[in-house]
Amino acid sequence: MEIFRTPAELQAYALSNKRAGRTIALVPTMGYLHAGHCSLIDIARQKADLVIVSIFVNPIQFGPSEDLDKYPRDFEHDAKLCTEHGADAVFAPEPGVMYAPDASTVVEEQKLSRPLCGARRPGHFRGVTTVVAKLFNLALPDYAVFGMKDAQQLLVIRRMVRDLNFPVEIVAAPLIREHSGLALSSRNAYLTADEKERAVILSRVLDAARPALIAGGVEAIPAVLEVMKHEIEKAGGRIDYVEALDASTLETPNAKTADLLVALAVYFGNTRLIDNTLVWVKQ
Amino acid sequence: MEIFRTPAELQAYALSNKRAGRTIALVPTMGYLHAGHCSLIDIARQKADLVIVSIFVNPIQFGPSEDLDKYPRDFEHDAKLCTEHGADAVFAPEPGVMYAPDASTVVEEQKLSRPLCGARRPGHFRGVTTVVAKLFNLALPDYAVFGMKDAQQLLVIRRMVRDLNFPVEIVAAPLIREHSGLALSSRNAYLTADEKERAVILSRVLDAARPALIAGGVEAIPAVLEVMKHEIEKAGGRIDYVEALDASTLETPNAKTADLLVALAVYFGNTRLIDNTLVWVKQ
């Protein structure tokens, strides 16, 4: 497996492979890989001739008071998992080679990026779309695989790809959970044993919301969200948001809404966890 | 010569040629081609296996009170010139196939795009960088040729390419002038015979500024700009801006400035013309 540390190395590798007619699948990650990431690599492996995994804790998608500095890192373990899952190359640059000191260009999605995490983390999605555009231009993928845990990110990236005509097919990979129901996340490493046990409430309230919303439709949303918030707070979670939006537009659901994204961000201790589920309210 | 009307057609053509190992040069234009554009096509022809000319009057780079609706168009003549200069393909889409009704993603350069035309035409360069990013993703060029008449545009595009890692080499093509000195522009078609004669003052004042700035350096700028403005107004031009900035940063020149961009935008009648020259003040 190749390991590239600079944009120029990766782009040269990608260009020569594209010119030789080989297809490329990219798995963009921030490292500290878990079974969720591995499932993305497995999917990428089935899609293309070459699989490139990027490992980059992207500073411009973190707010000034967020966890950039303490974000967990373990490159040796990451590289081992990438090898085991058949990646052909890992791209692991330092921030200094990714961003020039006078970098002044951003890619911004201005609609789907506004609610939910976009409202709570100003600038986050601008950082995401900017770095993903860079990674697309460096790895030149035919496919890029993103996990559905970051449901809003997936929507924003799909919109960016459509609007800017990137020649990339975005592949959505199912959210992977622990046996307890807790969604896999690199940030789970921050949780104490007690917090981890309490955080199981997130998948439980999402599971309970599904039948209630399927039965009650859009009108049931306010009551369902109230119950969810109550249960989360009872378990010691501090709510950042718990919302149900139209899953296509991320606008307030209305009579035409066919499917809902029920999404939440909740703190346990200092750790912010996100989770979500899709509910078809019209079938 | 191929003529493509939709993004999907162009991208399929570009992808299959890239996979076959052929190189591509793109010449992005707004059509109504003149000898300046033809020189860009000639340069592109020397660079790559395939030359693609895009002809698209991009609505999002025009302000609400600008000349989008009356911008001159002549597709038959444009196609003839493209054929004569050896282009392999023309991409001429309608705005409706370039922008979805709910398009919400922009590419924005936030520093070099601010002064000069950026200050006078808010949103202009955001429209330019967004459409050029789209054209790069559709035509997948190894080279893209831009004229030096739009000097600020060239700087902004180069910065975008660097910051977003587009795998494209930007080629700068010399400004082409009429025998009178008037810079070629599709907008010259708007000028009356009288206005066209008066507009010759623009290249004259730029020519006169060069030796004065080489002799006097950065300190001479205010006096030189005063003379330029006076001469332009005497010839009946209405000044939008006449400025001399550091040609690398587009900031106010200082003791370290090695070369100046002397740039101007001036109205004759209702027609806004731009012109510029580069002056090396330190050699």
Side-chain angles (χ1 to χ4, degrees):
Chain A
M1 187 180 69
E2 307 263 6
I3 295 176
F4 301 117
R5 295 288 183 180
T6 68
E9 288 171 316
L10 173 63
Q11 197 170 52
Y13 171 82
L15 267 175
S16 71
N17 278 292
K18 290 287 270 197
R19 287 196 180 120
R22 281 186 278 273
T23 57
I24 297 173
L26 173 68
V27 181
T29 82
M30 298 208 300
Y32 213 72
L33 304 183
H34 51 63
H37 298 107
C38 293
S39 76
L40 308 183
I41 302 173
D42 294 342
I43 290 168
R45 186 68 282 164
Q46 290 169 8
K47 285 280 179 187
D49 299 327
L50 291 175
V51 172
I52 300 173
V53 179
S54 65
I55 295 177
F56 180 56
V57 183
N58 174 36
I60 68 167
Q61 73 188 66
F62 286 78
S65 62
E66 292 181 0
D67 59 343
L68 172 62
D69 291 335
K70 63 168 188 160
Y71 196 86
R73 288 163 168 88
D74 186 347
F75 182 73
E76 293 312 314
H77 187 240
D78 289 348
K80 187 164 163 286
L81 288 176
C82 289
T83 303
E84 286 173 9
H85 288 265
D88 298 283
V90 165
F91 176 52
E94 291 299 318
V97 299
M98 281 294 275
Y99 296 107
D102 60 349
S104 57
T105 311
V106 297
V107 178
E108 187 170 69
E109 196 288 326
Q110 301 183 315
K111 218 157 133 192
L112 300 172
S113 67
R114 292 298 184 244
L116 305 176
C117 286
R120 309 301 295 179
R121 304 181 68 187
H124 168 67
F125 283 115
R126 188 175 54 231
V128 169
T129 44
T130 300
V131 81
V132 170
K134 288 167 67 71
L135 291 169
F136 284 178
N137 285 336
L138 291 170
L140 305 175
D142 301 276
Y143 306 92
V145 189
F146 289 85
M148 290 175 72
K149 184 172 70 91
D150 299 289
Q152 186 178 14
Q153 172 177 279
L154 181 63
L155 284 167
V156 169
I157 297 291
R158 276 195 201 282
R159 176 64 63 89
M160 173 186 84
V161 165
R162 186 203 68 174
D163 285 349
L164 298 185
N165 305 99
F166 278 101
V168 182
E169 183 185 315
I170 301 300
V171 180
L175 200 161
I176 307 287
R177 299 180 180 281
E178 292 194 358
H179 190 67
S180 69
L182 181 67
L184 293 193
S185 166
S186 304
R187 289 190 171 96
N188 291 352
Y190 298 147
L191 298 170
T192 65
D194 177 59
E195 287 165 351
K196 199 167 175 183
E197 215 164 281
R198 291 167 180 276
V200 170
I201 192 67
L202 301 183
S203 63
R204 294 220 181 117
V205 295
L206 288 167
D207 277 347
R210 296 177 56 82
L213 289 168
I214 290 167
V218 164
E219 290 75 36
I221 290 173
V224 169
L225 295 181
E226 272 320 296
V227 173
M228 291 175 71
K229 289 179 187 171
H230 179 72
E231 294 294 319
I232 291 167
E233 284 171 345
K234 227 171 60 184
R238 185 161 52 84
I239 289 167
D240 196 35
Y241 66 77
V242 178
E243 294 194 50
L245 299 179
D246 185 297
S248 306
T249 62
L250 297 191
E251 291 174 356
T252 305
N254 59 38
K256 285 187 219 153
T257 296
D259 45 340
L260 292 175
L261 175 67
V262 187
L264 54 80
V266 173
Y267 287 92
F268 286 87
N270 293 319
T271 304
R272 183 175 178 276
L273 301 177
I274 60 173
D275 202 345
N276 72 83
T277 191
L278 284 169
V279 185
W280 280 263
V281 286
K282 272 189 190 160
Q283 308 206 35
Chain B
M1 187 180 70
E2 307 264 6
I3 295 176
F4 302 117
R5 295 287 182 178
T6 67
E9 289 170 315
L10 173 62
Q11 198 172 51
Y13 172 81
L15 267 175
S16 71
N17 278 292
K18 291 286 270 198
R19 287 196 181 121
R22 282 187 277 275
T23 57
I24 297 172
L26 173 68
V27 181
T29 83
M30 299 210 299
Y32 213 72
L33 304 183
H34 50 62
H37 299 107
C38 293
S39 77
L40 308 184
I41 302 173
D42 294 342
I43 290 169
R45 187 66 283 163
Q46 291 171 5
K47 284 280 179 185
D49 299 327
L50 291 175
V51 173
I52 301 172
V53 179
S54 65
I55 295 178
F56 181 56
V57 182
N58 175 37
I60 68 168
Q61 73 188 63
F62 286 79
S65 63
E66 292 181 359
D67 59 341
L68 172 61
D69 292 334
K70 63 166 186 162
Y71 197 86
R73 290 164 166 87
D74 185 347
F75 182 73
E76 293 312 313
H77 188 241
D78 289 348
K80 187 167 163 283
L81 288 176
C82 289
T83 304
E84 287 173 11
H85 288 265
D88 298 282
V90 165
F91 176 53
E94 291 300 316
V97 299
M98 281 295 274
Y99 296 106
D102 60 347
S104 57
T105 310
V106 297
V107 178
E108 188 170 70
E109 197 288 325
Q110 301 183 316
K111 218 157 131 190
L112 300 172
S113 69
R114 292 299 185 242
L116 305 177
C117 285
R120 309 299 296 181
R121 304 180 68 187
H124 168 67
F125 283 115
R126 186 176 56 231
V128 169
T129 44
T130 300
V131 81
V132 170
K134 287 166 69 70
L135 291 170
F136 285 179
N137 284 336
L138 291 170
L140 307 175
D142 301 274
Y143 305 91
V145 188
F146 289 85
M148 291 174 72
K149 184 172 68 93
D150 299 289
Q152 186 179 14
Q153 171 176 278
L154 181 63
L155 284 166
V156 169
I157 297 290
R158 276 196 202 280
R159 175 63 64 91
M160 174 186 83
V161 164
R162 186 202 70 174
D163 285 351
L164 298 185
N165 305 101
F166 277 100
V168 181
E169 183 185 315
I170 302 301
V171 181
L175 200 161
I176 307 288
R177 299 180 181 280
E178 294 193 358
H179 190 67
S180 69
L182 182 66
L184 293 194
S185 165
S186 304
R187 289 190 170 97
N188 290 352
Y190 298 145
L191 297 171
T192 66
D194 177 61
E195 286 165 354
K196 200 167 174 182
E197 215 163 283
R198 291 168 180 275
V200 170
I201 191 67
L202 302 183
S203 63
R204 294 222 181 115
V205 295
L206 288 166
D207 277 348
R210 297 176 55 82
L213 290 167
I214 290 168
V218 164
E219 290 75 35
I221 291 174
V224 168
L225 295 182
E226 272 320 297
V227 173
M228 292 175 72
K229 289 178 188 172
H230 179 73
E231 295 293 322
I232 290 167
E233 285 171 345
K234 226 170 59 183
R238 186 160 52 84
I239 289 168
D240 197 36
Y241 66 77
V242 177
E243 294 195 50
L245 299 179
D246 185 298
S248 306
T249 62
L250 296 192
E251 291 173 357
T252 304
N254 58 38
K256 284 186 217 153
T257 296
D259 45 339
L260 292 175
L261 175 67
V262 187
L264 54 82
V266 173
Y267 286 91
F268 286 88
N270 293 318
T271 304
R272 184 175 178 276
L273 302 176
I274 60 172
D275 200 346
N276 72 82
T277 192
L278 284 169
V279 185
W280 281 262
V281 286
K282 272 189 191 160
Q283 310 208 35

